[in-house]
Amino acid sequence: MRYSQYFLPTSADTPSDAVVISHKLMLRAGMIRKLAAGIYTYMPFALRTIHKISNILREELNRAGAIELLMPAVQPAELWQESGRWSQYGPELLRFKDRKDGDFCFGPTHEEVITALVRSEIRSYRNLPVNLYQIQTKFRDEIRPRFGLMRGREFIMKDGYSFDADEAGAMVTYWKMYEAYRRIFHRCGLKFRPVEADTGNIGGSLSHEFQVLAESGEDALLNCGSCDYAANVEKASERNDAAAPDPAGFLPVETVDTPGMGRIEEVSAFLQRPPEQFIKMLVCLADGTPVAVLVRGDHELNPVKLKGLLGADAVEMADDAMVLSAAGAPAGFVGPIGLKGNLRLLADHAVRGVLNGVCGANQADKHRIHVNPGRDFQAEYADLRMARAGGRCPKCEGGVLEAHRGIEVGHVFYLGLKYSRAMKAQFLDAAGKENPFVMGCYGIGVTRTMAAAIEQNHDAHGVIWPMPIAPFHVILCPINPKKDEEAGRAADALYGELTQAGVEVLHDDRGERAGSMFADADLLGVPIRVAIGARGLKDGIVEIKRRNEAEPARVPLKEAARVVQDMIRQDLEKYA
Ligand code: ATP
Ligand code: MG
């Protein structure tokens, strides 16, 4: 591609409304233009990367036995009413009416459409399993569209759905997709990690997110330093083996004055006892019903775990008035002893290990000391706390959890019977009996993956594309081609030779000054830069430099095409 004939408007100015680096660089590098909040045009340079990611997706999904189709983006409300999501989905679903006053939405995802399709087309177990995917524009009216393509409203997603005859088959499909996803992100040249993810309240489900590791990621991840355990912090556990202490050490409960001290730090300092010895009681509302939850004083409640345990749609903290009416004492002074009878009491596993602990006394300005779980109160124990870096791995002996940040680019999810039951999507098994399909769904954010690649691979000057998804392999930079005709001619010849060989070359024939041409080359992040100037040509030399290297190599012009092709091959082989 000759730059002079391309549509690639770069800019040196940092856009004021962009916060994260991928958003800034995509605007500056002429990759995206905003049309409305969270809605962007993908400019030609970006579209090349979108196509490369899409092609890798196709190759790996096809290899894994999935089949591509394309469903409508506009979906009738009836299907969403069947699944129950027309009322559950909320304002993220863009709804509208057609001229006959029929309700429709713009698809944020396609479980309903695909389930209806397979329901009407597949009758027999003989035609299972089937695994279908599409690459398509989705719309989600995100409450806070931000960070450019990372969280848009309109974005491109690969979404896939599998249908199996039984759970065992669905598990085989799930792990096939998991492996395909590993290959996909490896082939994109990204550093990533699959992590265990929360499954909401679909009972007995299994879910992994594929996270591109980047400081700017919205998701907090924990992984074991010794084994392969890794999970989103929403889901992550620490080892839960706190043993109940020996009752021989129990002291009698006492009530002590703690005037005006409702916070653990205050009481801890006042009573000279560490937060680990505290039993913190929180009153939460699960779908409006109050429930009391105990966690150790130095731990935090994980609301996602609580939500999952209770099978609730929403969990929130009760306000002070609710605490008072549910627990019978002011917030900050509530505790598990002598609770109002009807309040359900849950506790995190670590609470069991507290010996002679401190908790609220259920009266204003008082705490109890020498409180012992088991002796002084009973609770339902579960894993309810936020896991932390430094905690012990739940999977291996001796491993310690480490913290990372990530960008969720893909998601594999075992759905089981959620949609097939709701939508009565059934097939006949070998015995002639009707059974619901066992489903899985698999998503990859194509445009988010492109943004994540930039978040992970950039420097102060611009993008540093991994070779497999770079818009171009090579940028050719002739220096002063108008003055030094020889440089212009040599560049044109090399451009022809490389293009002929199938190399994707951006030929910067605009005649810009060397400084701004090199600045643009760095901004655009094309992996290999070839500079051709009169000075080098005197000795028959051109300069070849990788985007992520400081110093160019001096290469004879005659060998330039071969050297460039070798470099590309080496890079691509790394990610094969
Ligand atoms: P998030 O938690 O980030 O909102 P999600 O769980 O809603 O993601 P899924 O429904 O699993 O996402 O969608 C599949 C994939 O689509 C995600 O892994 C992500 O890569 C991409 N995706 C989801 N929402 C957006 C968005 N607003 N902008 C760009 N990509 C998105
Ligand atoms: Mg979302």
Side-chain angles (χ1 to χ4, degrees), residues 19-22 147 150 212-219 404-407 451-452 454-456 458:
V19 181
V20 297
I21 196 79
S22 63
F147 306 154
M150 297 260 270
V212 163
L213 301 175
E215 283 304 313
S216 60
E218 281 188 291
D219 288 5
H404 289 285
R405 295 205 72 84
I407 301 164
I454 296 176
E455 292 293 332
Q456 187 179 74
H458 66 268

Side-chain angles (χ1 to χ4, degrees), residues 398-479:
V400 174
L401 298 180
E402 301 168 351
H404 289 285
R405 295 205 72 84
I407 301 164
E408 181 202 320
V409 287
H411 197 174
V412 294
F413 206 116
Y414 172 71
L415 290 169
L417 308 179
K418 180 175 155 79
Y419 292 93
S420 48
R421 273 242 175 88
M423 298 182 65
K424 300 196 182 52
Q426 299 178 329
F427 65 95
L428 292 173
D429 67 15
K433 195 170 139 287
E434 295 267 17
N435 279 309
F437 296 104
V438 187
M439 292 174 58
C441 69
Y442 317 94
I444 290 180
V446 176
T447 41
R448 186 185 282 181
T449 299
M450 174 165 66
I454 296 176
E455 292 293 332
Q456 187 179 74
N457 301 284
H458 66 268
D459 64 12
H461 307 291
V463 184
I464 307 175
W465 288 109
M467 185 65 82
I469 60 171
F472 293 91
H473 301 130
V474 182
I475 185 161
L476 261 183
C477 297
I479 295 162

Side-chain angles (χ1 to χ4, degrees), residues 185-479:
F185 293 113
H186 171 69
R187 282 194 55 197
C188 286
L190 299 172
K191 289 181 277 301
F192 69 96
R193 205 184 272 279
V195 303
E196 293 178 15
D198 175 53
T199 54
N201 49 23
I202 305 183
S205 317
L206 181 62
S207 166
H208 288 85
E209 291 164 353
F210 284 74
Q211 297 272 355
V212 163
L213 301 175
E215 283 304 313
S216 60
E218 281 188 291
D219 288 5
L221 315 175
L222 288 169
N223 71 279
C224 176
S226 311
C227 77
D228 64 358
Y229 177 77
N232 192 307
V233 75
E234 292 184 339
K235 157 91 181 179
S237 297
E238 292 177 25
R239 185 161 284 255
N240 276 311
D241 56 2
D246 185 354
F250 286 0
L251 299 171
V253 180
E254 290 173 38
T255 304
V256 295
D257 287 328
T258 50
M261 285 178 262
R263 295 190 310 128
I264 290 202
E265 306 87 274
E266 297 165 331
V267 191
S268 165
F270 181 70
L271 296 178
Q272 297 284 298
R273 281 162 208 261
E276 298 92 275
Q277 250 196 313
F278 280 64
I279 298 170
K280 177 162 69 178
M281 187 167 112
L282 304 158
V283 180
C284 303
L285 296 177
D287 295 339
T289 306
V291 44
V293 188
L294 305 176
V295 290
R296 219 171 67 181
D298 58 325
H299 289 158
E300 292 295 325
L301 170 68
N302 181 331
V304 175
K305 288 181 182 173
L306 180 62
K307 208 171 110 176
L309 181 76
L310 298 174
D313 288 327
V315 161
E316 53 186 348
M317 300 304 293
D319 61 20
D320 288 359
M322 272 305 300
V323 172
L324 191 60
S325 82
F333 298 94
V334 291
I337 305 178
L339 264 190
K340 275 191 165 177
N342 57 354
L343 192 59
R344 186 168 173 192
L345 183 61
L346 303 168
D348 175 66
H349 287 302
V351 169
R352 209 191 325 245
V354 174
L355 172 66
N356 297 321
V358 184
C359 65
N362 282 330
Q363 18 174 339
D365 301 331
K366 291 194 193 305
H367 278 75
R368 289 202 168 91
I369 58 171
H370 307 152
V371 173
N372 288 293
R375 180 191 71 179
D376 300 321
F377 64 88
Q378 304 297 327
E380 299 169 54
Y381 286 91
D383 177 13
L384 288 170
R385 70 181 185 279
M386 299 293 302
R388 299 183 293 203
R392 290 152 66 220
C393 175
K395 196 166 163 188
C396 73
E397 206 56 63
V400 174
L401 298 180
E402 301 168 351
H404 289 285
R405 295 205 72 84
I407 301 164
E408 181 202 320
V409 287
H411 197 174
V412 294
F413 206 116
Y414 172 71
L415 290 169
L417 308 179
K418 180 175 155 79
Y419 292 93
S420 48
R421 273 242 175 88
M423 298 182 65
K424 300 196 182 52
Q426 299 178 329
F427 65 95
L428 292 173
D429 67 15
K433 195 170 139 287
E434 295 267 17
N435 279 309
F437 296 104
V438 187
M439 292 174 58
C441 69
Y442 317 94
I444 290 180
V446 176
T447 41
R448 186 185 282 181
T449 299
M450 174 165 66
I454 296 176
E455 292 293 332
Q456 187 179 74
N457 301 284
H458 66 268
D459 64 12
H461 307 291
V463 184
I464 307 175
W465 288 109
M467 185 65 82
I469 60 171
F472 293 91
H473 301 130
V474 182
I475 185 161
L476 261 183
C477 297
I479 295 162

Side-chain angles (χ1 to χ4, degrees), residues 92 140 142 151:
E92 226 181 75
R140 295 183 181 180
E142 299 273 357
R151 186 168 296 284

